[in-house]
Amino acid sequence: MWTITGDSTEYTVNDRIELVAWGPHGVTDGPSAYAFHGKVQYMLPGDVAALEYAPDGLRPFTGADLSVAGHALTWRLDGVEDGDGLTATLVDDVTGLRATLRWRFAPGTDVLERWATLHNGGPEPLTLTRLDSAGFTVPTPAGATLHYLWGQWAQEFTPATTILTRGRFQIGSELGVTGHLFSPTLTIENGDAAYGVGLAWTGSWHLTADADNAGLTRIRAGRSVTGEPVRLGPGETVTTPVAVGVYSADGVDGVARQWHAYERHLAGERLGRTRNVIYNSWEATTFDVTADGQLALADVAASLGVETFVVDDGWFVGRHDDTGGLGDWTPDPAKFPDGFGAFVDAVRAKGLEFGLWVEPEMVNPKSALYAAHPEWIYQAQGRPRSTIRNQYLLNLGREDVFAFVRDTLDGLLTTYPIGYVKWDFNRPRTEADRDTADLDGAHVRNLYRVLDHLRTAHPDVTIEGCAAGGARVDYATAARTDVLWPSDNTAPLDRLRIQHGFLSAHAPHLMSSWVTDAPGLFDVQKRSLAFRFVLASAGVLGIGADITRWSPSERAEAAEWIARYKAVREVITRGEVHRIGGPDQARCAVQYTHGSRVVVLAWNAGGLDGQDTVPARDIRLPLRGLEPTARYRSGTDTYSGSHLMAVGLPVRWTVSHDADLVELERQ
Ligand code: DGJ
């Protein structure tokens, strides 16, 4: 048996490469919850056992992690190495396929990273029809409660729950991108604890939970290669994406905190950078970008205390609407008559860092790039090419396209003093010739190569990941970007729901949010400017409204909120998060704790309590993780930790007071 340890949990595997224990330190010391007794009827033992990485010859009936067309793979263990986590090597003697399995806790967390490297050591080419990263097994004697996030454009990260007593539940994407439809994380509750499983991959993926008949649920996490099998020639190797798993005794919110810790780990030293308050011009001007118009916005932005000014879509030649221009990344001289360099300098002269929107993997049919390279797009010979938002997707898996994208970005970043890039992606792949060895993998790996290159070659540039809102939010993107755009829906109550869901799987330092004047799509109730500022302060604060139209008093209030955000952003972007209640409850708040500082953001998502015409009591927000005997001060009020946790921080809403930012300091 081998045990590897994380911050407060451990994971133990036996020499059959089956799970023995997963839980708090010491959990291995006792009979395994995964062992079984009794006769296996009409199946193989591997269909019942908690196999860590199941080939279809060992687990033919209840869900395998790896399949090769024309073979029923089985394993022979060829060695285990203990050190930097665990490494096990397994071999299928018939094909010569060798799997090197890795387990490793991300330092300082309870997040277990797992992946497999597959090497074709035989003489024949192999077609991998299933290529998962790992299987995670959870004891669910009374069934599993599964929590997941579904969505669509403008409604991303919507939480949902389902109870799985027997059978299969699956979420995923066949879009060649993470997608709007589901997020690649799944939380499994068994009544005693919660377990999270996720996948760090930006292409097609699946998370599949199989609840068996003997009290276990096994979750397979991996790329989806349905319709696009991966071909592995003799001597070739493919490495799966990292699958991540976490155990938490603190329920669904405890799992969320571990995902946050993981994303802070992925950010590395870049977490230490201050997240600037940004202004983004998209909602104010859409494609109607002009130097004068942008500078007028930048003027107001600077006066409010904004730190980075981002020019969104519409700045380059041929981009008057969404029918043209993508691919031709040259500033439009008609829009910037004094030159783009002079424009960027003028923005920076206001004390603002300059940011720019790009969508480098795309091309409009109406563009010089498409005229020069129609062969660069994904297409199926002899079939129509479908546009989405009037654009095609470039096949970034090609080396020439990769070089074009990298050089385009290098060119912009070296020609102009750009400190912030917003990288957008507004259509998934549709038709494509399938004769590439690994179509999906080639695109995704080259995307990572460009992002990794940007971080090395332009280390000071902040990268925002965006994909028609939140269609490319996953742990692999989180490792290569500084901030992520969760949704194009910026309306107050809609956004509150989206952010609440986002924070269940992703950390606040990644959550970009703008204050706008947008009306709701799903909930049209208006909310105060304060509400919208407190909401956008829940992660990385930005403004997206047409601030030239804001009144002097709105601007003064905005400046105050921005100053308050700057004073607490370190707590918000690095603190431990506790979500309190939710958008459909009277209690709706997020608590951030960093050292002795606590910030609580609270919103009134519903009605009022009768406005003093009937008896009413304050809403109480029970805080978490405080020191019971310590005192916490907020202005002139002080509370004990016990009071704040057992009774809660009081808030009272009125028509004009619908949100609050409360700072508490441990005395
Ligand atoms: C979709 C993004 O999500 C928006 O924020 C904006 O950048 C538009 N694309 C621009 O076309």
Side-chain angles (χ1 to χ4, degrees), residues 282 312-313 319 357 389 422 424 426 466 468-469 485 488 514:
W282 173 245
D312 209 279
D313 199 349
R319 194 65 169 168
W357 177 95
R389 208 194 189 206
K422 175 178 173 183
D424 203 349
N426 283 297
C466 169
W485 181 235
D488 283 345
W514 307 339

Side-chain angles (χ1 to χ4, degrees), residues 121-442:
E124 302 295 332
L126 301 176
T127 301
L128 308 181
T129 52
R130 181 169 274 281
L131 171 60
D132 288 345
S133 298
F136 290 91
T137 314
V138 171
T140 50
T145 304
L146 305 178
H147 304 269
Y148 61 101
L149 297 167
W150 64 270
Q152 57 180 325
W153 178 80
Q155 205 184 10
E156 296 88 338
F157 306 105
T158 308
T161 299
T162 191
I163 293 177
L164 186 71
T165 44
R166 296 285 187 276
R168 181 164 294 172
F169 170 85
Q170 181 167 311
I171 54 174
S173 157
E174 301 292 331
L175 300 154
V177 63
T178 326
H180 286 110
L181 301 180
F182 297 99
S183 291
T185 55
L186 185 65
T187 305
I188 307 98
E189 274 189 305
N190 64 5
D192 301 319
Y195 299 76
V197 176
L199 188 73
W201 183 247
T202 313
S204 297
W205 60 274
H206 76 98
L207 290 174
T208 305
D210 290 294
D212 75 5
N213 296 338
L216 295 183
T217 298
R218 189 169 184 279
I219 299 95
R220 289 176 279 159
R223 298 176 49 183
S224 175
V225 294
T226 315
E228 277 175 34
V230 172
R231 283 184 280 278
L232 205 58
E236 288 182 345
T237 299
V238 64
T239 298
T240 71
V242 169
V244 279
V246 61
Y247 162 91
S248 174
D250 292 334
V252 177
D253 225 36
V255 169
R257 274 188 290 284
Q258 280 302 318
W259 293 143
H260 298 178
Y262 185 53
E263 288 183 329
R264 289 195 287 268
H265 156 75
L266 294 175
E269 54 84 26
R270 290 174 79 108
L271 182 68
R273 299 177 182 201
T274 299
R275 264 53 186 171
N276 277 2
V277 177
I278 71 148
Y279 179 83
N280 180 297
S281 61
W282 173 245
E283 288 200 20
T285 61
T286 62
F287 298 101
D288 191 14
V289 172
T290 61
D292 287 349
Q294 298 292 308
L295 288 173
L297 289 164
D299 251 343
V300 183
S303 75
L304 302 182
V306 165
E307 295 158 305
T308 298
F309 185 85
V310 184
V311 175
D312 209 279
D313 199 349
W315 56 270
F316 44 100
V317 286
R319 194 65 169 168
H320 309 294
D321 51 32
D322 66 13
T323 64
L326 292 174
D328 300 344
W329 301 105
T330 309
D332 187 342
K335 295 184 173 180
F336 304 98
D338 299 332
F340 196 64
F343 165 71
V344 175
D345 289 345
V347 171
R348 286 166 47 85
K350 298 178 194 304
L352 294 161
E353 181 183 69
F354 184 75
L356 195 61
W357 177 95
V358 287
E359 196 180 1
E361 296 148 272
M362 300 290 170
V363 65
N364 285 119
K366 214 165 75 185
S367 68
L369 182 71
Y370 185 69
H373 290 292
E375 78 284 6
W376 278 8
I377 67 165
Y378 286 105
Q379 53 193 299
Q381 296 301 339
R383 296 215 164 77
R385 305 161 175 204
S386 45
T387 53
I388 294 178
R389 208 194 189 206
N390 304 306
Q391 64 200 55
Y392 294 130
L393 178 59
L394 295 176
N395 181 350
L396 183 60
R398 291 172 61 122
E399 276 306 293
D400 45 8
V401 174
F402 161 76
F404 165 78
V405 169
R406 181 199 55 201
D407 295 349
T408 298
L409 292 166
D410 274 344
L412 287 168
L413 293 175
T414 46
T415 309
Y416 306 106
I418 295 170
Y420 188 106
V421 167
K422 175 178 173 183
W423 182 318
D424 203 349
F425 179 95
N426 283 297
R427 66 154 293 172
R429 193 179 65 227
T430 44
E431 63 279 344
D433 286 329
R434 310 278 158 156
D435 59 357
T436 312
D438 183 2
L439 190 71
D440 197 38

Side-chain angles (χ1 to χ4, degrees), residues 3-6 8-12 21-31:
T3 297
I4 57 169
T5 48
S8 67
T9 56
E10 67 186 34
Y11 195 89
T12 300
W22 185 13
H25 287 165
V27 69
T28 311
D29 189 4

Side-chain angles (χ1 to χ4, degrees), residues 561-591:
W561 279 114
I562 290 174
R564 283 191 77 181
Y565 174 74
K566 287 178 180 170
V568 298
R569 67 180 153 193
E570 187 175 322
V571 181
I572 287 174
T573 55
R574 296 192 215 167
E576 185 179 271
V577 171
H578 294 268
R579 292 175 305 148
I580 302 161
D584 299 316
Q585 301 172 35
R587 291 170 172 175
C588 181
V590 184
Q591 172 195 347

